[in-house]
Structures are given as structure tokens and as C-alpha cells.
Amino acid sequence: MNAPDLVVPLALPPINYDSCFAERLRQHGGRLAILTEDGRRYSYEALAEAVDKQAATLGAPRVTIIEAANRIECVIAYLACLAAHHPVVLAEPGSTLRDKRIAQQFGITTVFHQTSGRWKFDRPDDAPAMELHPDLCVLLSTSGTTGSPKLVRLSRKNIEANAGAIATYLGLTPDDRAITTLPLYYSYGMSVLNSHLFAGATVLLTERALSENEFWQFFESGGATSFSGVPFSFDVLERISFRTKNYPTLRYIAQAGGRLPAEQVRQYGTWARDHGKQLFVMYGQTEAAPRMAYLPPDLVLNNTECIGLPVPGGEFLLAGDDGAYITEADRPGELVYRGPNVMMGYAETLDDLAKPQGPDLLHTGDIACQQANGLYRIIGRRNRFSKILGLRISLDELERWMQQRGWHGIVTGDDRIIVVAVSDDKNVRAVQLALLERYALPASAIVVLHLDPLPLLPSGKFDYRGLLRAGQEASTGQGQAQTLLEGYRQILGIPDILPTDSFLDTGGDSVNFVEISLLLEQHLGRVPENWEVLSISALEAMREEAATVAESSQVPRRFWIAGCIGLGLLLAGEAALQIRTYLKTGRTALTQGNDAYLIEGTESEARRYRPNQRFTKHSNPEHVFVINSQGLRSPEIPAGLAPDELRIAVIGASAVAGEYAVTNDETFPALLQEQLRQQQPRRTVNVVNAGIEGAGVNDLVMLAERVVAPLHPTAAVIYPGMNDLSLICKTPVTRKHEGLPAPEAPDWIMTSVLIAKNAMMLRERPARVAAFNLQERFPSDYSANLERAVATLRAKGIPPMLMTVARGFAGGNSELARSALYYAPCLDEQRLVELSNMFNDAIRSTGQRLDVPVLDLASVMQGGSRYFVDSSHFTQEGEQFVASYLATELSRQPWMQQHPQVASSSRHR
């Protein structure tokens, strides 16, 4: 077996450490730097001006606490401190008032925070000078909050080197737009801001959570190309069905802040590959500013448990128990990182702030090995740490913290929960509340048990493993709340929640969002829409109502047995009919009647596909429809026209959408676009595919007005399709006496069709071929609707064209006529041909009457299986034929003569 190829880390491009990115903002000129959710736009020049203005007010360098919310005021304050060489402590908003130990321990008197609704610096006029190392830049708590008395000292070089490394392996360019999903006071959130400003890219600034609709609205309107998340973020993404949706501007997703389970790495790696996106799995610690490793996206699926390679400019070493470095593959050792982003050291006293850079080696405390392909994999931890929701918590430090407060107990945990055992039952609630305040974790992540005596091993040491098992069992038991009110109180950790409170009333966040939605699913069997704003009592009422309905529906057991047997027979019959239908028409319940991906047309809204989604057709996972933000199977096209742009819209039904085209690029509008671009390489050419499955001529009017016209096409082609043909057999026959109403059921159920056919004598006389006149059955408003569509386009200044409908059964192909006869069972093949000719005659006469060009595709395109899958949908060769025909015909239109001539080398066959 061949050895795997060795993956080589990227090199770090040269970086000028004489200045930091906050001092070089003007180099990026008028490019957009920050876009806020309320629409404020800051170019790099404008941001630099605001930063310089703020920096000029700061005075002599001193350590400043910045309560860093995801707000432009906080970003400007942070950058101003960096530019003015004021070291900053990034802290959670409101934390300075709750815990003054860091300010007191390090003599910090300057705080940037929100008071009386305003963000400002608070500093005394007589603040003493501080002895600081000139390279000191950022101070971060090792626990991610201001609760820890030990800070990580990061230098300007640390921050700059890591920002450059991240920008390098992510491939950041000025065109990238990252939306904030993590707080700026968290090292991961800070690194997102730093790396994008380093690269001259854009940051979309929001305080919204991933679970909020407003977040995704801003994501789309701002054209976000990336977002970052911790493992919990991916649980939220699953709850909101993220992977079923389409975000055209998204380029990559980045993950760090703890280990993502291999199965989720595989799920999102596969999704990213299939959608042309990238998934970056990353690893880091605050002590490394914070990124140390990344897994290249093209290696994700084959290495789901790896952290990957050291970031550009860094290297990994593996230290054995004897301190010697390990060089063999797959042999475990402590992971040691070396690089220019390794911290200066820790700060526990004021004097530490003046100390220089320490060794550039960081012992991570993680046990890892290097695989034969060069990638690194974490296999365990050397020290006692938990990492929950991206928060790295020292369990030993937490034990010492409890002892300092007089609470006798021990602490253990994993990456899901912290488990505390206390010997005095009076301390259980106090410890839990203190931990919730200290770490801002959900209540379900902290389990406090009363155990007296504390669990011990035979050796006399504390039994941490046994305590963790007990905590895990207790955590599982917490989820068994008897009522929703109990569940809300347990999950949110708020004992005085009232039945009248809603999730939003309690201040719930994205961390609690998933747990509460799971609670609702457990109690109600579903998650009601807008549950966040519903009171607990209203949700309980839903539960009671569901239980009442279930009780009232109890019936004798024999009835259920008889009902199940009858239902089984119906299902067996339905399956036989579906198979028969599939063999005759190629359609089943899976390919018709399933319009969950469609928005039905109304008087005020056009029929279209649901925007920003991706779905498969015909039970084929490779047969993919990708829908843009306008609800069309078309690329994203801006409303405004580029100078001298040629933009053609093709309006129609499923034949235009490309019912059997495997990808968007294989539809005839996409092929037409490709041909026109080849013929006019110096010109911007776009073809809008405005084909919507199931659309009749009446739907095309609304589609032209509400969807196509706002795109301002140069011209539009209307291809009506054959959906109006199905109206023929639905037209009522005049009769003297009304019969019994037909049984109603969804159209896709074949059994109902069978019943309807056999019960027809009870309702009306059979509509035999000779029993009605085609002229009488022809839709009286067909021509009128064509005229309305033409008038709608002309009113918007868009030249319209009509195209006759090509038919697969033209020339007497009986096999391809079957699908059309399925929807028009009152016709035979001869009458089908006559009726389709009447529709095309109506198109031609409308064009002649309104002086609209008619592209007579029906006259030039032969029927048969070469070009058609069924009566009206094209094969791939058929799609190519229509594209070539249109390219030729468009070159002959008068409005084309005003622009560079389309070459006429393309000819239909």
C-alpha cells in the first residue's frame, strides 16, 4: 500500500510588525470596512478617521477595560486603543460592575462601557501612570470572562501575526464579508474582526443570534460570505434546518471553540462540498491569540477527527513523558506549539504588565499524535480542563475558587457539563447561582450535587470519574420535567419564572434556544411556530388540547384492527396504481403534487419557487434545482443593468425551468446565455430563467409584472407551455340534473382517480371524444391572458416576444402523447393534436394582432424521443436545440440592432 501524501503547511507572508492593522486602515481607501445591521456604512477611510479622533482623546498609555459588544462604538474604541498603544482588556458588557477584581488587581481605572444609554470612556483625571511593556496589546481572561484573576498577555506581534496567518489560510480578500456570530470579548470573535480588517475585507456587525430570523435577513441583505461558530452553533443550525437552504453569497463556514463531533464534521463537510462551499475546522487557545491549527477544506471528509496543520508561521512539536520530542507517526505526546503568536506570558499582578516576551513555546495540555499524512489529531487532555460553548474552564482553578469562598467540594466535567459535588446541602443552590453568573453558561451545563462524604477512590484520592458519571445521570434526569414551567426553570436556571412569561421575556438566548425547542418537542410532539413569543401557559394549553384530542379519539380495539386492514388494502392498491402510472408516464406521488418548494400564486403574489433553496427532483439526488433569492432557477442577477448589458428573460412553466435538466446550467436559458456570451465576449450577457413549474398563462402575467419586470431585461420571451391544456377536461358539461359531488382527495392519490372514474355515472354523462366541441371547451381567456402578459411587459418598456409550444407527440409519437393524455383523459391522440394546434394558433394570432414577434419553435422542432422526454419537456439535446434556435432568432430582432450584433453562426438543426 502506498504511503499517504504528506500535507505541507502554508508559509506566512512577510508582515511588517512596526505597525498593526489598526494603524493601517487608510491603506484600504474607500472600501467598505464595517456594515451595521441598522444600515450604517463605514469605509476604511471613515473608520480610520473615527479611530484617530477617538485615539487623540486617550492620553498617556494605560490599560483600558473595553466592554466589547458587537457594536460599532466598541469596535472604534478597541481600534483606537490599539492605534494609541493602550493595552486593552476585552470584557463582557456589564461585567465590570458585577466583578471588580480585575480592575482592582491590576489598578485599571479606565473603562469603556455603556452608561445612561451612551457608550463612552470613564477615566479619572488623576489616574496614575502605569509601567507597561511597549509591546503589550491585548489582555484576555483565560476563562473567557473577567471572573479569572489570571490574564493572557498578547503583544502587538502576537495579534498581527495571528491575523495574518488566519487571513492567509482562509484566503481572505477585500471581497470577503464576515458576519459576526461571536462576541468581540471572546478571543475567537476578536480574531474574526482582526483578520478581516487585516485583509481589507468587510465585517457585518450584529448582536443577533444564529437562531433569529433577523440575523439571516441581515446575512442575505449584506451579502455575507462567511460566518464562524463554536460546536453549539451547529446544533442551532440543525434546529433551523440550515442545510436545507441556499445562501448564494456564502463562501465558507469556520468552526473552532471546542471539538466538533466527527459526524457533524462529516455532515457539514459533505454539505459544503455539494454546495460549492468550504468548511474550515480550526483549533486554538487564547494563549495563541488564538489560532494554532486549521484543517484544509479539501481534507475534511477524510480526516473528520483531525485539527489539521499548524497555521502559517507556526509549528507543532510532540513532547513525550521524558520531555524528548517525538518524531514517529501516530505516537502520542503533549502537543506543543511554536510561533510568533504565542503569548508574552500570564499576568497575575500589576508588575507582570511590564514583563517582556517569554518563550515562544506553548504547552497546550492536549495529547495528540501526527498521522502519516502530516495532519495532527487530538486524542485526550493532559490537564483538567472543560471546554463548553468555546469557554475553556480550568477545573482545578474552579476548585480553588470554591475553597476561597468557603465551599467545600470538588469539581469535574467534560465538554458538555461541569459537575460539582459539595458536602453541605445548604450550598447547592448558592454554588449553582455563583457558577451561572461567573461563566454565563446555561443552567443545564452546570450540575451541583450534594454528596457527603465526597466520593473517594480506594487510594484515598477523589473519584472524579465516578462524580462525572453521577453528574451525567443527574443531567439526563433534569430533562424529565413534568411540566413546561418546570422545564423552563431548569433549563434557564431561573426559579421564579411565571406561567405568563415567554422565552423572550426571560431573556433567553441562542444557547437556551435549542434546549427549549427540544423540551417543546418532547412535551408537545412538535415545535409550534413563533413559540419564542408565546407564554408558557399558552404552550401548556396546546399540550392539554393535544391530550384531550388523543383521549376523545379512543375507539374500540376491533374497530382499529378493521380500520388498519382496510387502510392496508387501500395502500396496497395505491402502490399498485402508482407503479402502473410510473410505467406509463414516468410520474408518481414523489414527482407530482409535491409542491412544498413552490409558492402558490395569489392576486398579489406571483407563483414561484421558494427563494434560496435547493431540492432534488424525480427521486434522483443528482437532479438538483438551485433557486435564487427571487424564487427562480437562475443565477443571482442584480436589479440594475450594467452598462451595455444584454439581459434576456425567458418566461414560462416547467419546460423553461428545465424539468429534466439535471443542473441549472443544462437548461436552455442557461445554454442560451453561454452561447450569447461566447458570441459577444466584450459584453455583459445574462439570461433570466423565469420558468415556474405548473404555471398557466394567467400565472405568467403576474410573473412578468412582479418578478421579471423589476430585473429590467432588455427583452422577454414568453413560452406558455401546455399547462392550460389540462383545463379542457375540467370544463363542466351542461346538464339538466346535478349528480352527486365527486369525492375529493389530493391530486396525486391514484385511488381517488380510480374511484372518480367508476363513480362518474353518478355525477355526469361521460365526456366522450365526440361528446363536445373543442372550440367550446377552449379556454375563453387564453388569448386575453397572453395579451395581458404582453401589455405588462410593454408598459415597463420591455420588448416582448411570443414563442409557440413544441410538442413531443408531433409527427404521431403515441408514446410521448401519454403524459399529456394523462392530464386530459377526455381526449384521444387525434383530439390532443388538434387542441395543441389551437393553442399555438392562438399564440400566433395574438402576436400578429399586437404586432409582437412570434418565434415559431413548434414549426421547426420535430417531435420524438430525441428532443423530448415526454409530451412537452426536453431532453438535454432538446434543451440545446431550443438554445441554438433562440440565439439565431434573437439576432434578427430590431431592438438587437441597437447593440453589438449577435453573431449568426449559431444555427438550429
Side-chain angles (χ1 to χ4, degrees):
M1 181 179 295
N2 294 329
D5 293 335
L6 188 66
V7 185
V8 180
L10 294 172
L12 181 65
I15 293 178
N16 181 7
Y17 294 115
D18 293 336
S19 64
C20 79
F21 65 89
E23 300 170 88
R24 301 193 301 269
L25 298 173
R26 279 193 170 82
Q27 291 183 1
H28 304 294
R31 290 186 176 276
L32 183 62
I34 304 289
L35 175 63
T36 66
E37 190 177 3
D38 59 6
R40 286 179 287 173
R41 302 170 65 89
Y42 286 78
S43 68
Y44 274 88
E45 289 178 343
L47 183 61
E49 184 176 346
V51 167
D52 290 347
K53 183 178 179 181
Q54 187 81 272
T57 68
L58 297 180
R62 57 170 59 89
V63 177
T64 300
I65 295 177
I66 294 182
E67 294 190 353
N70 289 7
R71 298 181 59 90
I72 185 62
E73 298 89 346
C74 301
V75 171
I76 291 172
Y78 166 66
L79 296 175
C81 286
L82 264 58
H85 293 242
H86 282 241
V88 297
V89 177
L90 294 179
E92 181 183 0
S95 62
T96 312
L97 287 176
R98 294 197 305 266
D99 191 339
K100 299 181 182 299
R101 285 176 302 146
I102 281 185
Q104 294 170 350
Q105 186 165 331
F106 295 97
I108 303 172
T109 57
T110 303
V111 180
F112 181 82
H113 58 168
Q114 188 177 35
T115 58
S116 302
R118 290 181 57 241
W119 287 91
K120 64 176 184 177
F121 283 94
D122 274 344
R123 55 180 176 270
D125 295 332
D126 58 348
M130 304 181 75
E131 186 177 353
L132 305 172
H133 192 280
D135 291 337
L136 185 61
C137 185
V138 175
L139 294 156
L140 295 174
S141 169
T142 55
S143 67
T145 75
T146 56
S148 171
K150 183 165 69 173
L151 300 177
V152 171
R153 295 184 295 128
L154 297 175
S155 69
R156 298 168 70 81
K157 182 178 181 180
N158 295 156
I159 295 293
E160 191 76 3
N162 208 230
I166 294 170
T168 299
Y169 72 72
L170 289 180
L172 297 183
T173 72
D175 294 328
D176 278 295
R177 293 189 171 200
I179 188 168
T180 55
T181 53
L182 304 161
L184 295 181
Y185 60 82
Y186 173 32
S187 60
Y188 188 3
M190 175 196 73
S191 71
V192 173
L193 177 70
N194 293 350
S195 57
H196 282 74
L197 295 183
F198 178 96
T202 302
V203 176
L204 308 184
L205 206 57
T206 177
E207 296 182 282
R208 300 282 187 183
L210 283 169
S211 58
E212 297 182 72
N213 290 332
E214 292 83 356
F215 173 90
W216 296 104
Q217 291 168 4
F218 184 39
F219 183 101
E220 292 186 34
S221 65
T225 61
S226 68
F227 67 88
S228 301
V230 297
F232 181 79
S233 306
F234 290 80
D235 294 334
V236 175
L237 293 178
E238 286 302 290
R239 298 301 300 174
I240 63 174
S241 302
F242 170 81
R243 287 185 291 128
T244 66
K245 301 169 185 176
N246 180 40
Y247 294 98
T249 60
L250 180 65
R251 181 170 74 84
Y252 71 85
I253 302 172
Q255 182 273 321
R259 181 179 179 182
L260 189 65
E263 182 54 34
Q264 279 191 297
V265 174
R266 183 174 292 104
Q267 287 175 347
Y268 279 83
T270 301
W271 176 87
R273 179 199 63 193
D274 294 346
H275 288 72
K277 318 294 184 186
Q278 293 178 308
L279 173 66
F280 286 89
V281 177
M282 309 183 299
Y283 165 79
Q285 291 180 3
T286 302
E287 289 84 346
R291 197 63 53 234
M292 289 186 286
Y294 74 101
L295 181 58
D298 58 327
L299 303 179
V300 164
L301 289 179
N302 292 326
N303 300 275
T304 56
E305 296 187 349
C306 290
I307 61 170
L309 301 167
V311 299
E315 81 173 298
F316 280 134
L317 303 169
L318 292 173
D321 293 336
D322 58 357
Y325 291 128
I326 297 168
T327 58
E328 303 97 306
D330 297 318
R331 181 181 165 190
E334 183 184 6
L335 189 65
V336 180
Y337 176 79
R338 174 189 286 147
N341 52 311
V342 172
M343 65 175 177
M344 300 175 73
Y346 292 109
E348 297 184 79
T349 67
L350 177 59
D351 293 339
D352 290 336
L353 302 182
K355 290 182 178 179
Q357 172 76 44
D360 64 351
L361 287 177
L362 175 62
H363 289 259
T364 67
D366 288 322
I367 305 300
C369 66
Q370 185 180 26
Q371 298 179 162
N373 60 3
L375 301 181
Y376 287 83
R377 177 167 54 90
I378 302 291
I379 58 178
R381 283 209 175 102
R382 185 186 185 110
N383 299 318
R384 296 203 321 122
F385 285 94
S386 284
K387 199 164 189 179
I388 303 175
L389 303 179
L391 205 61
R392 190 165 176 261
I393 300 171
S394 169
L395 303 177
D396 292 328
E397 181 185 327
L398 185 52
E399 274 191 9
R400 291 193 297 270
W401 177 81
M402 288 176 53
Q403 291 166 3
Q404 291 169 2
R405 280 152 184 76
W407 293 323
H408 180 52
I410 59 174
V411 181
T412 187
D414 56 18
D415 286 350
R416 190 179 66 86
I417 57 172
I418 298 293
V419 184
V420 179
V422 292
S423 56
D424 189 342
D425 63 344
K426 296 177 183 178
N427 293 332
V428 171
R429 185 61 182 163
V431 171
Q432 185 175 37
L433 291 176
L435 292 178
L436 288 173
E437 181 179 0
R438 177 181 171 88
Y439 294 113
L441 291 170
S444 59
I446 296 175
V447 177
V448 182
L449 303 175
H450 169 231
L451 297 176
D452 188 19
L454 297 175
L456 297 174
L457 295 169
S459 63
K461 295 182 179 180
F462 289 122
D463 184 3
Y464 288 110
R465 289 187 179 180
L467 176 59
L468 180 59
R469 286 195 299 271
Q472 290 168 339
E473 292 173 2
S475 174
T476 303
Q478 281 183 356
Q480 307 302 318
Q482 296 300 309
T483 67
L484 287 176
L485 183 60
E486 290 178 11
Y488 268 65
R489 288 172 175 172
Q490 286 180 3
I491 292 172
L492 298 173
I494 306 175
D496 55 353
I497 290 178
L498 300 175
T500 54
D501 290 331
S502 70
F503 179 76
L504 293 183
D505 293 334
T506 64
D509 54 27
S510 61
V511 172
N512 312 123
F513 177 88
V514 171
E515 293 182 272
I516 295 291
S517 60
L518 289 171
L519 176 74
L520 294 175
E521 200 164 32
Q522 174 189 339
H523 281 259
L524 305 180
R526 63 188 180 92
V527 179
E529 287 193 21
N530 301 318
W531 64 266
E532 304 96 319
V533 300
L534 298 177
S535 68
I536 300 171
S537 58
L539 293 168
E540 285 280 17
M542 292 182 185
R543 179 188 183 190
E544 293 169 3
E545 181 182 349
T548 301
V549 171
E551 289 175 7
S552 64
S553 63
Q554 297 299 316
V555 293
R557 183 166 177 267
R558 282 180 294 179
F559 177 84
W560 277 113
I561 294 174
C564 289
I565 292 174
L567 180 60
L569 292 173
L570 283 174
L571 290 175
E574 177 67 24
L577 288 171
Q578 292 287 353
I579 294 171
R580 173 180 174 271
T581 302
Y582 177 74
L583 293 175
K584 293 182 67 176
T585 68
R587 293 173 176 262
T588 69
L590 297 175
T591 57
Q592 70 178 59
N594 179 15
D595 57 356
Y597 47 79
L598 286 167
I599 297 175
E600 291 295 341
T602 65
E603 292 182 0
S604 60
E605 187 172 4
R607 179 184 177 91
R608 57 198 173 101
Y609 295 107
R610 294 192 184 279
N612 297 323
Q613 65 166 328
R614 176 189 177 100
F615 56 89
T616 59
K617 296 291 291 285
H618 306 293
S619 303
N620 181 358
E622 296 182 357
H623 193 139
V624 179
F625 274 51
V626 179
I627 308 303
N628 67 13
S629 59
Q630 287 118 356
L632 304 177
R633 192 187 187 189
S634 192
E636 286 294 333
I637 298 177
L641 286 170
D644 198 36
E645 178 181 350
L646 173 63
R647 183 177 293 184
I648 307 295
V650 185
I651 308 171
S654 55
V656 174
E659 179 68 16
Y660 291 94
V662 175
T663 66
N664 287 25
D665 293 338
E666 295 177 17
T667 63
F668 77 75
L671 295 171
L672 171 63
Q673 174 179 278
E674 181 181 350
Q675 290 190 28
L676 294 179
R677 285 178 176 177
Q678 290 175 355
Q679 295 162 1
Q680 297 201 38
R682 297 181 180 178
R683 190 176 183 190
T684 301
V685 177
N686 285 302
V687 176
V688 180
N689 183 338
I692 306 296
E693 177 181 334
V697 176
N698 187 50
D699 296 307
L700 303 188
V701 178
M702 189 67 70
L703 189 63
E705 178 183 353
R706 297 300 172 90
V707 179
V708 174
L711 296 175
H712 308 293
T714 311
V717 178
I718 301 173
Y719 186 65
M722 297 184 65
N723 288 320
D724 291 271
L725 183 144
S726 62
L727 299 173
I728 299 301
C729 296
K730 293 181 181 179
T731 305
V733 178
T734 304
R735 51 187 182 271
K736 294 180 181 180
H737 304 288
E738 291 293 330
L740 296 175
E744 293 186 359
D747 292 342
W748 57 267
I749 297 181
M750 300 290 101
T751 310
S752 66
V753 177
L754 184 66
I755 293 173
K757 288 182 177 180
N758 286 281
M760 191 173 292
M761 67 182 67
L762 302 176
R763 303 192 309 275
E764 61 183 27
R765 287 175 292 178
R768 293 190 174 88
V769 172
F772 61 86
N773 186 298
L774 283 179
Q775 290 290 348
E776 294 176 356
R777 288 290 185 96
F778 191 81
S780 58
D781 59 351
Y782 185 80
S783 295
N785 284 331
L786 284 176
E787 292 179 9
R788 287 174 57 210
V790 168
T792 297
L793 293 170
R794 278 181 167 170
K796 303 292 185 179
I798 303 168
M801 292 168 283
L802 296 171
M803 186 158 70
T804 57
V805 181
R807 301 148 297 175
F809 51 81
N813 192 308
S814 301
E815 187 66 28
L816 294 181
R818 288 185 180 181
S819 60
L821 291 174
Y822 174 81
Y823 293 102
C826 62
L827 301 176
D828 60 10
E829 188 175 341
Q830 179 182 346
R831 277 311 193 55
L832 176 64
V833 173
E834 292 177 15
L835 188 61
S836 64
N837 288 336
M838 290 173 62
F839 278 109
N840 279 333
D841 287 343
I843 295 171
R844 296 184 185 101
S845 62
T846 300
Q848 185 176 7
R849 185 167 61 254
L850 300 179
D851 194 23
V852 172
V854 175
L855 311 181
D856 204 350
L857 179 67
S859 297
V860 299
M861 192 171 190
Q862 299 175 357
S865 58
R866 178 182 178 186
Y867 293 143
F868 291 90
V869 176
D870 54 24
S871 60
S872 59
H873 298 111
F874 307 120
T875 61
Q876 190 53 48
E877 193 171 354
E879 300 276 2
Q880 187 65 58
F881 180 97
V882 179
S884 299
Y885 172 77
L886 275 174
T888 301
E889 293 299 316
L890 291 181
S891 67
R892 299 170 179 164
Q893 302 308 315
W895 47 264
M896 282 290 289
Q897 308 307 319
Q898 304 168 17
H899 302 280
Q901 181 67 35
V902 176
S904 58
S905 59
S906 177
R907 291 288 185 268
H908 58 269
R909 281 164 283 187

